[in-house]
Structures are given as structure tokens and as C-alpha cells.
Amino acid sequence: MDTDLSSQDRKDLDKFIKFFALKTVQVIVQARLGEKICTRSSSSPTGSDWFNLAIKDIPEVTHEAKKALAGQLPAVGRSMCVEISLKTSEGDSMELEIWCLEMNEKCDKEIKVSYTVYNRLSLLLKSLLAITRVTPAYRLSRKQGHEYVILYRIYFGEVQLSGLGEGFQTVRVGTVGTPVGTITLSCAYRINLAFMSTRQFERTPPIMGIIIDHFVDRPYPSSSPMHPCNYRAGEDNGAVYPSVEDSQEVCTTSFSTSPPSQSVFTVTKAHFQTPPPVVMDTLKVPVMGLAFSHQLSSSRLSYQPAALGVGSADMGYPVLFAGGLNAAHPHQLIGPGKEGGVPPTPSQPAHGTQADQERMCTPLDGVHYSAATPSSSEDTETVSNSSEGKCGSPHDLLETIFIRKVGAFVNKPINQVTMANLDIPFAMFAPKNVELEDNDPMVNPPESPETESPLQGSLHSEGSSGSSTGNTHDDFVMIDFKPAFSKDDILPMDLGTFYREFQNPPQLSSLSIDIGAQSMAEDLDSLPEKLAVHEKNVKEFDAFVETLQ
Amino acid sequence: MNCRAEVLEVSVEGRQVEEAMLAVLHTVLLHRSTGKFHYKKEGTYSIGTVGTQDVDCDFIDFAYVRVSSEELDRALRKAVGEFKDALRNSGSDGMGQISLEFYQKKKSRWPFSDECIPWELWTIKVNVVNLANEQERQICREKVGEKLCEKIINIVEVMNRHEYLPKMPTQSEVDNVFDTSLKDVQPYLYKISYQITDSLGTSVTTTMRRLIKDTLAL
């Protein structure tokens, strides 16, 4: 029995794994560039498309990957990892994802290398293409620009997941068994997007000797939202990479339809002249704060210039609240509640009451996705709820100004943060600290207009009059909706309050069932009289009909 | 062999039906399409290249990857469009399902026509909801986006089990396994059908079959 791999098979397998690793890195990095990727199908094989997939090779990325691999291949205990992180314009950075290409010892000796393994690697790359669009970092990377950039780093060796915060989630892209081991591709992604204030001025120390240059911001015109799928040829960024080196190997695979053992596999080497490299690894991003492009956040954030404290504070809040609200949403019609463990209370310097801290931190499950999306809905909802919760409260917007100076992405309740003096411009627009209790429906049942909607129908009985959409989740502090420049000192009503109050108009009385039920009996009783009247006027009606014809 | 069956369920708003269905169907077909085969002498063949492109949804906070093939996209859009219209016109409470079936053809002797043997069946059950105001719609956008992410992960998980796939065919048999009518990619033979469930829960007689290649019955 011949269970050993023939030398040709061994060579082929090594080559497949090497190019699979390189293509994996390309797919991941390209998925985080912030632009839509588009490649063409080609019916005639060009010979240079590994795994029969059109995946462009960004030379710089290939160079980095090869440097990290340093001639080795992923093996047991030596994994290839691509770390995706976010860096704000203020210099704070946070790891978002780690993609790991690992090899374990479980071998599949029976499998055919040049046929089955190759096709399965191709399938795995397709799965990777699909999964890279599904993790939270994709949405973040599509919105990068002035305020933050998405960076990548490739390293080889042991996987290090400690930078992902607590409660990170893992998704497995797939596995492929080979005669020398099983290749596994997976992604661990952060779900706790709160940024630790202590890390404000720290940089992640380089691991495995990777130079910190990779985090250096390079000039990249990020104002245009959509970039063409092809390279920016001709753009010189000062870093010239050796073109394709010695071994840009071309894979011309021929397959045999008769028993796979007869497959003919030809590989030829060719040199390719690559276009001048394009800087793709670091992209400057305009938005200050994570993906909070909702007007709510951006209108406020845009008035927070680089003042470190408060600007960051704003970023902290949406993350926190969005997560909380989303988790507590009972929206059952869409499906089961969010899964994902509840991240334990982050250890922060203790300020404020314990009770507040517990209340704030529990709803953070599922924050990974809600925080990544423009948390517009939750914010808008709570905005409207807060207006219902405190009916006469427009005055509050003018009166109390609590300015807290906190670090970026602080994930703790406002109460816990030390109060600081008012030292930032546009202080009036800073998020107001609303007392938790005021918004708690348990304490203060809100007076809200009736709204009937299918959502409510499924969640509350018809008799409950005090319910309006989304009431059940407003036991968290929320951000006040402060539209830019809308404050009017004369009237207590500003645009935001106006919008909130009239957003959910009361149900039309004719449509409400109670009144309808009552008048039904009356309607029925009055019918005979009405009929008699109409019969008397029958001649008039006939004449009228005649005129119409 | 037994047909592998997977069922996915989604609850969407009316205007999200099309994009949600396309996202799921395209993701499945991405995994079940290869490049065009070019047969050479001695029973060997080479495979063309499959390109991919990102698609952003307008009514859902979601993006997906599909095969770069306009023909395939048109075919799927046509089927999904018919499904959406049937859902809307049925007057039911908006429940239905669309199925994507991969099959192999088995040539039979005359006078019997060819058999279609399914080997994988994907069923997507849809529940259309009506929302009252813009707030709810905004929530729905995000929720459905998250749900679709979960569905994509489910699909990838199934694909990764590496269960039965038809054997690579010889040149004469290729049309029994693959759909060779497209000019840039080659998916496995598939057909899409749908059913609308009326409010009583029984299926109504609106089943549509779409055969890619007509059987060459004598």
C-alpha cells in the first residue's frame, strides 16, 4: 500500500498551500480596502488564475505576505494570521479581526492532491469571499475615510487573540483535508467595540518583528467614495517593490475526466511585469468615530473638533447605547434574539454607583453588529422614546450641561466618568447626561400616543394604551437628538423635539377599533331610517344617474 | 443517492424580498459554479476563471458577493421577480418559499425521457411583514442584514462539509451535470421553483418550473 505522497504530489501540494495562503491574504485585505471589488469571469483559462478564481494580486500585499511567510508554509503550530485593525485619526488603534490559516495533524491520505484538494481549496476561497463581507469589520471598512483607517498586518506563528477584547466571536470559513494535514481557515472578530481609555496613547507593540511602518499613514486620497476595480497604475508612493521576483508561478491545470489518478498537471513558470505598486494597505478615513454615519452622531460629532476628550466621548456613547438597545429589542417578528455571549463588565476605574454600572453593561450582548452599523434606528427610537418619557422635558435640553471628558470609545455609563470642566467648544451640543431613572419605563411610565403596528400587535395586548413602538427598550441612557444649529433660545421647542413629538402621531379615531365597535351598533340601527329616506328620493337619484350617462 | 436538503427562513419587508432572495441564491451559486470547461484530447480538460463582484443592497444593510456573470444574474433576477410578484398578488399573508435545486440528468433509453435526479435542494422560506412607520423600517433594515449574515454563514458551513458532489463528467456527459449554456461560467444544473402558501397554510397551485436545458426527448 502506498500511503506516502509521491514527490510530485508533495511538490504540488506545497505549491497549492503556498498560493492558497497568498490568495487568502489578498482576498482578506482587498475586502477591507473599503471599496467594492469586481473581477471578470473569463471562459478561456489564462493560466495565471490560481484556483480558477479571478483574484487580483496587489503586489505590496503579496510582498508582505511572502515576507511574513519567509519561505515557510503553514504547519502545525505555525499559522498564518492576518490582523485587521482600526486606527483613528487621533492615533488610537483597536484590533478588529484576526484571520487564521492553520494546519492541524489530521491527515486525509486518500484524497487526491491535484484534483480534489485543488477544487476544495477553490471552494474555500469562494467561502472566504462570502464570509469577508459578513463580519462587522466589513461595514466599518466601507465607511473608512477621514476619521479612521483600516490597517492590516500579517504574521506567522502562534495566533494571538488577546487584542480582540472580551467575548470575541469566531466564525469558521472552512477546512480542507490533505495528506499532510487539515487546513483550517477561520476568523475571530471583536464584538466589544468600546475603546479602552487607557490605551489612548499606546500603540500596539510589534509582534514577531514586524516593523511598525505598516501603521504609518500613507497619503491616500480618500475623498472619492468609489474606486475603480483596477489598480491606480502610475501612482508612485515612494515604495517600489520588486516586481514579481523569481517565481510568479503560473498554474495551468488540466484535469482529466477519467479516473483522477491520471490527471495531467502542468505548471509553468513565467515572469510577469507588474504595474507600479499601489498603496493599499493603509487607507485614511474621514469619519471621526466608528461607523456612526447617522446624522444623529455626525451632526454632533462634527462639532467636536480634535478636542480629545469630548470628541471621543461622543464615540463612546453611540457604541454603548446601540449595543444596549439592540440587545434588549424584543422584536420577535424578525427572529430570535441576538446570540452571542454577554461580555462581562469591562474593568474600568470605578466611578459612580455599582447599580448603574450593572444596568448599563448588561445589554451589551450582540453589540458587535449593532455597533458596527449606523446605529440610527436605535438612536432615533430612543430619541423618540425619551421625548415621550419626559413630556415636559424640552427645557432640560437648555438647562443642564454635563460635560464629561472621557477617552475614546469608553464603554461605561456616563455616571461613572469623572466630571470635568467645560473646556470644549460647542459645549451646548455635547451629549447631555440624562438620568437613567427618568427613562426607565418601570419608574416613569411614559405618556405616549397610541400607535398600532403589527410589531406592537404581536408584543402587547390591544388594550394597552401606553405602548408605542420601541418603548420596551428605553431603560438605558440615550443620546439626545441635537440637530445642528437648530436651537432656538426663544422657544423651548427645537427641531429635534418637534420631530420627536410629531413623529408618532396618534391613531386616527376612526381607525381605532374601540370607537368603531361602539358606533357599529348605532350604525346598524340607523340603517332602516336611512334606507327609507333614500327610497323617497329615488327619482332624484335616477335623474342624476341619467345625467352621468 | 439521497438529496441533501437545506432550509433557510427569513422574515422580510415586501421591498426587501428581492434583494434577500438574490443574496442567498447568488451565494449558493457562487459555490456551485465553476469556470467553463474546455476539453482537450486524451480526456483532459481545463477550467476557465470565475470572477466575482460585490453587490450592495438598497433596502437592507447588507452586501454580498456574486459570480460575475450577467446572464446568471439575469436568470436569477427573473425567477426572483416572478416569486416576488406571486407573493404580492396572492393575497395571502405573505408566506411563500423559493427553492433552488441542483440536479443531474440521467439519460434513459427511448421511449423514456431523461430523468432529473436532484442532489441538493435549498429552500428559502419567506415571511413578508408589513411595517407601520419609518422607524420600524430602519430597524428592519438592520435586523434583516444581520439575519442574512447568519444565513451566509450557514450556507458556507454546509458547503464546507464537502458532501456529495457529482463526479466530473466526460465531454459527452458534461451537459448532464453542468449548465453549459452560459458563456462565462458554468454552474451545476439547477432549477428554481416557488410556492406561495395561502393563509390557510395549504400550498396554492402556483408552482413554476424553469428548466435550463430542455430534455432532448425524442
Side-chain angles (χ1 to χ4, degrees):
Chain A
M1 79 206 125
D2 182 36
T3 52
D4 291 337
L5 217 49
S6 75
S7 68
Q8 179 61 40
D9 271 351
R10 183 70 211 229
K11 272 201 303 198
D12 291 343
L13 184 62
D14 286 345
K15 205 182 318 264
F16 291 167
I17 295 176
K18 174 184 161 192
F19 279 94
F20 180 75
L22 295 177
K23 287 293 181 182
T24 296
V25 175
Q26 290 286 348
V27 168
I28 294 169
V29 173
Q30 288 175 25
R32 298 288 176 260
L33 291 180
E35 49 193 55
K36 279 162 75 161
I37 305 296
C38 176
T39 56
R40 295 183 52 145
S41 303
S42 159
S43 68
S44 39
T46 58
S48 61
D49 292 320
W50 275 90
F51 308 107
N52 308 118
L53 282 174
I55 298 171
K56 287 206 172 94
D57 280 326
I58 300 176
E60 193 181 79
V61 175
T62 306
H63 179 82
E64 294 297 332
K66 283 186 175 169
K67 218 164 67 169
L69 285 172
Q72 295 175 311
L73 289 177
V76 180
R78 291 200 316 259
S79 312
M80 190 189 74
C81 301
V82 181
E83 176 193 292
I84 301 289
S85 56
L86 176 147
K87 191 176 135 190
T88 66
S89 53
E90 294 159 8
D92 304 321
S93 73
M94 179 165 74
E95 282 177 35
L96 296 177
E97 298 174 322
I98 312 265
W99 296 84
C100 310
L101 179 61
E102 300 167 298
M103 180 81 101
N104 69 28
E105 286 146 352
K106 189 171 157 204
C107 302
D108 183 348
K109 299 270 185 206
E110 305 297 320
I111 204 168
K112 296 290 176 218
V113 169
S114 60
Y115 174 70
T116 312
V117 172
Y118 189 82
N119 287 335
R120 287 187 180 178
L121 288 174
S122 175
L123 196 70
L124 187 52
L125 271 179
K126 291 175 184 169
S127 297
L128 181 64
L129 280 163
I131 296 286
T132 44
R133 274 62 175 174
V134 148
T135 53
Y138 181 70
R139 310 280 310 279
L140 285 174
S141 66
R142 288 291 297 270
K143 296 184 167 89
Q144 60 183 307
H146 301 306
E147 297 196 13
Y148 64 89
V149 289
I150 302 291
L151 309 175
Y152 76 93
R153 180 170 77 95
I154 308 170
Y155 63 90
F156 191 73
E158 277 198 34
V159 183
Q160 283 152 13
L161 300 175
S162 53
L164 290 176
E166 290 158 351
F168 60 86
Q169 298 236 349
T170 318
V171 62
R172 194 167 81 158
V173 182
T175 60
V176 173
T178 74
V180 300
T182 300
I183 298 171
T184 309
L185 186 52
S186 60
C187 171
Y189 56 93
R190 167 187 284 271
I191 58 172
N192 179 9
L193 284 168
F195 200 75
M196 311 288 279
S197 59
T198 51
R199 287 181 59 188
Q200 224 169 1
F201 298 105
E202 277 174 27
R203 283 199 168 225
T204 319
I207 305 172
M208 296 290 295
I210 303 290
I211 317 167
I212 205 162
D213 282 345
H214 299 175
F215 292 95
V216 169
D217 297 336
R218 307 229 187 150
Y220 187 85
S222 56
S223 48
S224 58
M226 295 299 269
H227 306 287
C229 302
N230 22 344
Y231 293 109
R232 295 242 181 98
E235 189 178 289
D236 184 17
N237 295 295
V240 177
Y241 291 94
S243 71
V244 193
E245 302 157 11
D246 46 340
S247 53
Q248 172 81 359
E249 303 191 38
V250 174
C251 168
T252 317
T253 47
S254 300
F255 294 90
S256 165
T257 54
S258 32
S261 56
Q262 290 177 17
S263 66
V264 173
F265 186 93
T266 58
V267 177
T268 58
K269 286 189 184 178
H271 288 289
F272 286 88
Q273 197 67 20
T274 52
V278 180
V279 176
M280 294 286 206
D281 64 347
T282 67
L283 296 166
K284 296 196 79 75
V285 171
V287 177
M288 187 162 88
L290 299 179
F292 310 124
S293 55
H294 176 61
Q295 298 82 356
L296 166 63
S297 317
S298 59
S299 68
R300 197 173 52 254
L301 289 177
S302 58
Y303 298 115
Q304 308 292 346
L308 199 54
V310 183
S312 313
D314 276 316
M315 290 187 279
Y317 299 144
V319 177
L320 174 62
F321 303 130
L325 294 162
N326 195 34
H329 255 296
H331 278 277
Q332 287 140 14
L333 82 138
I334 298 298
K338 294 186 66 61
E339 58 167 2
V342 177
T345 310
S347 52
Q348 296 276 353
H351 300 280
T353 60
Q354 188 64 26
D356 284 332
Q357 180 172 24
E358 280 165 11
R359 208 184 328 183
M360 288 309 300
C361 290
T362 29
L364 272 176
D365 41 329
V367 78
H368 68 284
Y369 212 75
S370 54
T373 60
S375 46
S376 45
S377 70
E378 278 84 358
D379 287 337
T380 326
E381 271 207 337
T382 49
V383 156
S384 69
N385 290 325
S386 82
S387 79
E388 288 141 17
K390 37 181 177 98
C391 315
S393 65
H395 305 277
D396 292 349
L397 298 171
L398 294 178
E399 291 165 21
T400 48
I401 302 161
F402 295 104
I403 304 303
R404 308 247 144 130
K405 194 166 183 178
V406 293
F409 306 101
V410 168
N411 113 0
K412 56 175 153 182
I414 313 167
N415 296 339
Q416 293 193 345
V417 179
T418 328
M419 287 201 59
N421 287 331
L422 202 65
D423 59 351
I424 44 138
F426 304 102
M428 297 289 282
F429 297 95
K432 189 176 101 55
N433 179 34
V434 178
E435 288 301 323
L436 292 179
E437 293 223 326
D438 284 349
N439 279 342
D440 190 347
M442 303 302 208
V443 171
N444 222 351
E447 318 261 346
S448 54
E450 277 188 38
T451 45
E452 291 290 321
S453 71
L455 256 136
Q456 291 309 304
S458 68
L459 298 172
H460 305 276
S461 64
E462 273 183 46
S464 68
S465 59
S467 60
S468 70
T469 49
N471 244 358
T472 43
H473 59 263
D474 58 351
D475 46 345
F476 310 109
V477 181
M478 35 62 68
I479 311 163
D480 268 340
F481 183 69
K482 286 188 192 291
F485 295 116
S486 67
K487 202 168 276 296
D488 185 351
D489 289 322
I490 301 166
L491 288 174
M493 174 93 70
D494 69 353
L495 179 63
T497 323
F498 176 83
Y499 178 70
R500 274 202 303 282
E501 287 196 6
F502 294 102
Q503 192 169 36
N504 280 325
Q507 188 80 320
L508 289 175
S509 61
S510 56
L511 293 180
S512 70
I513 296 171
D514 298 334
I515 300 173
Q518 285 163 12
S519 62
M520 178 88 91
E522 295 165 5
D523 286 341
L524 286 173
D525 290 339
S526 63
L527 271 179
E529 296 163 13
K530 287 188 186 162
L531 278 174
V533 167
H534 290 319
E535 274 181 18
K536 268 200 294 181
N537 299 332
V538 109
K539 287 210 178 66
E540 281 181 34
F541 288 126
D542 287 343
F544 175 66
V545 169
E546 294 287 330
T547 62
L548 291 175
Q549 282 170 356
Chain B
M1 94 295 306
N2 288 328
C3 172
R4 180 166 63 237
E6 303 293 333
V7 179
L8 305 166
E9 291 192 40
V10 287
S11 284
V12 294
E13 211 198 346
R15 59 186 186 164
Q16 296 171 324
V17 169
E18 203 164 339
E19 286 179 334
M21 296 302 104
L22 282 172
V24 172
L25 294 176
H26 268 302
T27 302
V28 173
L29 276 165
L30 169 69
H31 290 83
R32 293 284 179 250
S33 301
T34 73
K36 297 282 291 177
F37 282 14
H38 296 274
Y39 285 91
K40 300 189 279 224
K41 57 189 192 314
E42 296 163 8
T44 61
Y45 61 94
S46 58
I47 310 181
T49 303
V50 171
T52 56
Q53 61 186 78
D54 282 318
V55 180
D56 286 338
C57 294
D58 293 325
F59 300 110
I60 314 174
D61 285 346
F62 186 69
Y64 60 93
V65 177
R66 69 167 175 93
V67 172
S68 285
S69 166
E70 292 310 316
E71 283 175 275
L72 186 63
D73 189 39
R74 267 200 302 271
L76 289 187
R77 280 181 188 273
K78 182 160 174 273
V80 169
E82 288 172 13
F83 173 61
K84 188 184 78 165
D85 291 339
L87 263 182
R88 202 167 44 204
N89 300 334
S90 66
S92 73
D93 53 358
M95 289 191 52
Q97 62 184 50
I98 190 166
S99 304
L100 172 63
E101 177 190 290
F102 292 101
Y103 64 96
Q104 270 179 269
K105 270 200 265 190
K106 192 170 148 191
K107 295 266 185 229
S108 307
R109 290 177 187 278
W110 184 89
F112 304 106
S113 61
D114 295 338
E115 273 181 82
C116 293
I117 307 172
W119 52 272
E120 192 172 68
L121 175 66
W122 295 86
T123 304
I124 312 162
K125 292 195 171 155
V126 180
N127 176 30
V128 180
V129 297
N130 293 313
L131 300 177
N133 63 44
E134 201 50 46
Q135 269 181 351
E136 289 174 23
R137 282 197 197 99
Q138 185 60 36
I139 300 166
C140 193
R141 272 185 76 100
E142 295 173 14
K143 289 273 185 187
V144 172
E146 291 165 21
K147 276 292 158 187
L148 283 178
C149 289
E150 286 173 31
K151 301 303 162 199
I152 301 299
I153 295 176
N154 292 347
I155 294 171
V156 163
E157 198 190 358
V158 170
M159 295 295 178
N160 196 250
R161 288 184 210 150
H162 299 305
E163 290 168 343
Y164 173 78
L165 279 182
K167 213 167 59 148
M168 286 299 152
T170 57
Q171 190 168 10
S172 54
E173 298 274 306
V174 71
D175 290 327
N176 292 342
V177 175
F178 286 102
D179 172 9
T180 51
S181 65
L182 303 174
K183 66 179 194 303
D184 43 13
V185 294
Q186 191 173 287
Y188 283 99
L189 277 174
Y190 72 93
K191 56 176 117 140
I192 299 178
S193 58
Y194 63 82
Q195 278 180 318
I196 308 296
T197 319
D198 70 4
S199 32
L200 295 175
T202 58
S203 67
V204 185
T205 55
T206 40
T207 308
M208 175 206 73
R209 300 192 82 226
R210 179 180 176 272
L211 288 174
I212 304 302
K213 274 184 103 66
D214 292 324
T215 53
L216 298 172
L218 291 174

